[in-house]
Amino acid sequence: MPKHKKKNPVQSHNQNGASQNGYGSDDESLNDNDSLFSYQSEGNQDSTDGTEVEVDANEKYEDKLIQAMENATEKSAQTRTLALQAMAEILMQRYLPDFVDDRKITIMDLIEKSIKRGKGIEQAWGARLAALLIIQVGSDEEIIRTLTPVLRIAALDPSLSYDARAKCCLSLGLLNFLGNDDLGEIIELMKNFESIFCASYLKGDNSPSSAGAEAAALHSAALSAWGLLLTLLPPSDVAHMTEKPGSFPAIKNLLGLLRSAHLDVRVNSGELFALLYEQGRAHDDDYLEEYLPELINITRTLATDSHKYRAKRDRKTQRATFRDILHYFEEDTSPEINVRFGRESMCLDSWASHHQYTSFCNVMGPGINNHLAENEFLRDVLQLGAKLNEAEGLKKMTKAEKRFYNAEAFKARTKLRSKNRDKRSAVVN
């Protein structure tokens, strides 16, 4: 049974999800840190001023959100799509629970219409907005009951674009992870997701699936959503259902996914095996024992893959991921990742917690850090405790901690200013 021993912690970082999913940039990270450090290092300022500034900023975003909601009802598909994108980006960056809750019926209506009547990108943004809505207002039965059928139908509709269906899968998984307690419905959803990613199983002659890149991205999203819902199941159910034909995907089929030609499918299926192993072994010390030698061999091969026909970046990502998975299978050692946001940090010390955090990042992008600090519902889901009061936090710091903190703030500001000077010099020359 896994002892969940910890390896040396992975280096802490502020925007794990942002970099992983292609959002944001180094410059944005520095700018965020600079403003944060500047505010916190000036501890003598009246905290009321900061509150007033925050209120003014929220009012501006609320006005933009209202305008975007109006634009989302226009006849032009392009206008509607841009409006949905604007709404989603605001909800990614700002925590506006009361404002959004007062307008949730209108937002739900916009989401439903965009998915049912829109096409392509409009449907994708509508689906993403569904997950952001429940993250804003918290677990809400009405949202689950209204949007789950809409997202499920779209995710299973082969006539829709691969990207729209992938976004529907991710939002459908997150929506039910956050607000559905009915294990029967959860298992049915998992079967729906398998009906999507089964297209990446090996063919009858044991050759890899010929799915294209866009189809593989859809299969990867369905795998990710399946894994997220897996973390809701009791370990005993996971162990029993694996042995029951028709309840879970056959292990041999899942093993075939590790031979996919597409990186995302290989990585997600590898992490899925780690999740299964973690959940099952919490109940049964011999769970997956008969498949373990084959799993270790395949994982070791992928952890040392040096094929030149794969992109260098893909090889690096694959090797890093499968090294952790191999270490877990061989040593029962879970990877430990420290995620920093503001003055706080969160430790991801299990495959389940890592997968849950990654699922939030897939939907929220770089805005995840703001929500980790401010969103009470998300903090409760991730067991972060009560929201940190920045002013009180600074008062409790010792002199040595304040000195170190101010030194780090000075270093961050200096780096940013140096970069800006370099840019100005280049323009002048």
Side-chain angles (χ1 to χ4, degrees):
M1 178 177 180
K3 306 172 184 62
H4 295 297
K5 297 179 288 186
K6 309 295 185 295
K7 66 160 71 169
N8 292 332
V10 177
Q11 185 177 359
S12 301
H13 51 288
N14 280 327
Q15 291 189 339
N16 183 48
S19 60
Q20 186 177 30
N21 295 288
Y23 298 101
S25 66
D26 294 338
D27 289 344
E28 288 171 354
S29 301
L30 285 170
N31 287 335
D32 288 344
N33 289 337
D34 181 63
S35 61
L36 176 66
F37 285 133
S38 298
Y39 170 73
Q40 291 187 334
S41 62
E42 296 169 3
N44 294 327
Q45 289 185 347
D46 189 343
S47 61
T48 305
D49 294 340
T51 304
E52 291 175 354
V53 171
E54 183 69 17
V55 170
D56 290 341
N58 282 346
E59 288 178 352
K60 290 179 181 179
Y61 279 100
E62 288 168 1
D63 291 341
K64 291 180 180 179
L65 190 55
I66 290 174
Q67 183 60 55
M69 289 169 64
E70 292 177 0
N71 292 344
T73 62
E74 294 291 332
K75 291 183 178 180
S76 167
Q78 183 178 9
T79 302
R80 294 196 306 269
T81 301
L82 291 174
L84 291 169
Q85 180 179 351
M87 291 173 65
E89 289 175 348
I90 290 170
L91 298 186
M92 283 183 223
Q93 294 293 337
R94 308 296 294 190
Y95 180 48
L96 308 167
D98 296 332
F99 183 84
V100 173
D101 191 47
D102 290 341
R103 293 158 180 80
K104 73 176 182 181
I105 301 299
T106 303
I107 297 175
M108 285 165 55
D109 185 57
L110 293 173
I111 292 170
E112 190 170 355
K113 287 180 179 177
S114 69
I115 295 174
K116 286 183 174 180
R117 303 176 188 175
K119 292 183 179 180
I121 300 176
E122 182 180 354
Q123 293 173 313
W125 279 111
R128 189 168 189 172
L129 194 56
L132 292 167
L133 175 61
I134 198 169
I135 290 172
Q136 286 280 340
V137 303
S139 180
D140 188 294
E141 185 178 347
E142 187 175 9
I143 296 175
I144 303 293
R145 188 176 63 251
T146 302
L147 296 182
T148 291
V150 178
L151 290 166
R152 189 203 303 256
I153 291 171
L156 296 172
D157 187 349
S159 68
L160 301 188
S161 71
Y162 287 123
D163 184 52
R165 293 177 65 194
K167 295 298 189 299
C168 286
C169 286
L170 293 173
S171 287
L172 186 58
L174 200 54
L175 213 66
N176 285 271
F177 170 75
L178 293 173
N180 196 339
D181 296 326
D182 188 325
L183 290 184
E185 292 182 6
I186 294 296
I187 291 169
E188 283 303 310
L189 269 178
M190 293 174 74
K191 289 180 180 178
N192 290 152
F193 290 135
E194 188 200 357
S195 71
I196 295 172
F197 66 71
C198 69
S200 273
Y201 288 163
L202 294 180
K203 297 178 182 178
D205 59 357
N206 283 331
S207 62
S209 166
S210 56
E214 291 184 346
L218 167 62
H219 303 162
S220 177
L223 270 169
S224 179
W226 193 94
L228 180 62
L229 296 183
L230 176 69
T231 65
L232 293 176
L233 302 183
S236 58
D237 287 357
V238 173
H240 294 149
M241 292 175 70
T242 305
E243 299 172 355
K244 186 179 178 182
S247 297
F248 263 22
I251 298 301
K252 287 188 176 180
N253 287 335
L254 292 179
L255 284 168
L257 295 176
L258 295 170
R259 293 175 54 190
S260 170
H262 303 281
L263 174 69
D264 288 347
V265 174
R266 293 195 302 276
V267 168
N268 274 329
S269 56
E271 292 181 348
L272 191 60
F273 269 112
L275 272 174
L276 277 170
Y277 192 80
E278 182 177 71
Q279 293 282 89
R281 291 261 166 156
H283 172 74
D284 181 0
D285 289 348
D286 295 325
Y287 181 71
L288 292 185
E289 189 67 30
E290 61 182 298
Y291 297 101
L292 196 56
E294 185 177 1
L295 256 178
I296 289 175
N297 286 336
I298 297 174
T299 303
R300 182 178 290 112
T301 298
L302 292 170
T304 57
D305 185 3
S306 59
H307 290 303
K308 298 299 182 181
Y309 61 80
R310 301 198 201 279
K312 184 176 181 180
R313 185 174 181 179
D314 287 357
R315 293 200 305 272
K316 184 176 180 181
T317 300
Q318 176 178 291
R319 287 197 296 260
T321 301
F322 282 97
R323 275 197 299 267
D324 285 340
I325 296 172
L326 178 63
H327 203 53
Y328 180 58
F329 287 152
E330 291 183 330
E331 306 292 337
D332 286 343
T333 304
S334 302
E336 182 179 290
I337 300 174
N338 291 313
V339 179
R340 292 180 57 194
F341 52 99
R343 292 191 57 251
E344 299 179 82
S345 64
M346 172 176 61
C347 180
L348 307 175
D349 58 359
S350 69
W351 288 101
S353 62
H354 179 270
H355 192 79
Q356 290 166 6
Y357 172 73
T358 301
S359 297
F360 284 115
C361 289
N362 286 338
V363 171
M364 302 174 72
I368 184 70
N369 285 349
N370 293 334
H371 283 272
L372 288 175
E374 300 293 332
N375 191 318
E376 295 175 0
F377 172 63
L378 188 59
R379 292 179 67 90
D380 183 54
V381 171
L382 296 175
Q383 300 179 348
L384 292 174
K387 186 169 68 172
L388 179 67
N389 184 310
E390 292 182 357
E392 290 182 2
L394 286 173
K395 288 178 183 177
K396 293 178 182 178
M397 292 172 68
T398 65
K399 288 184 178 179
E401 288 174 330
K402 287 181 180 178
R403 193 180 305 115
F404 174 77
Y405 188 77
N406 287 332
E408 290 296 310
F410 175 77
K411 188 184 297 183
R413 287 196 299 272
T414 302
K415 285 183 178 179
L416 180 64
R417 288 168 182 166
S418 296
K419 182 171 284 190
N420 289 336
R421 285 194 201 100
D422 292 342
K423 289 178 180 177
R424 287 197 296 269
S425 298
V427 171
V428 171
N429 294 332

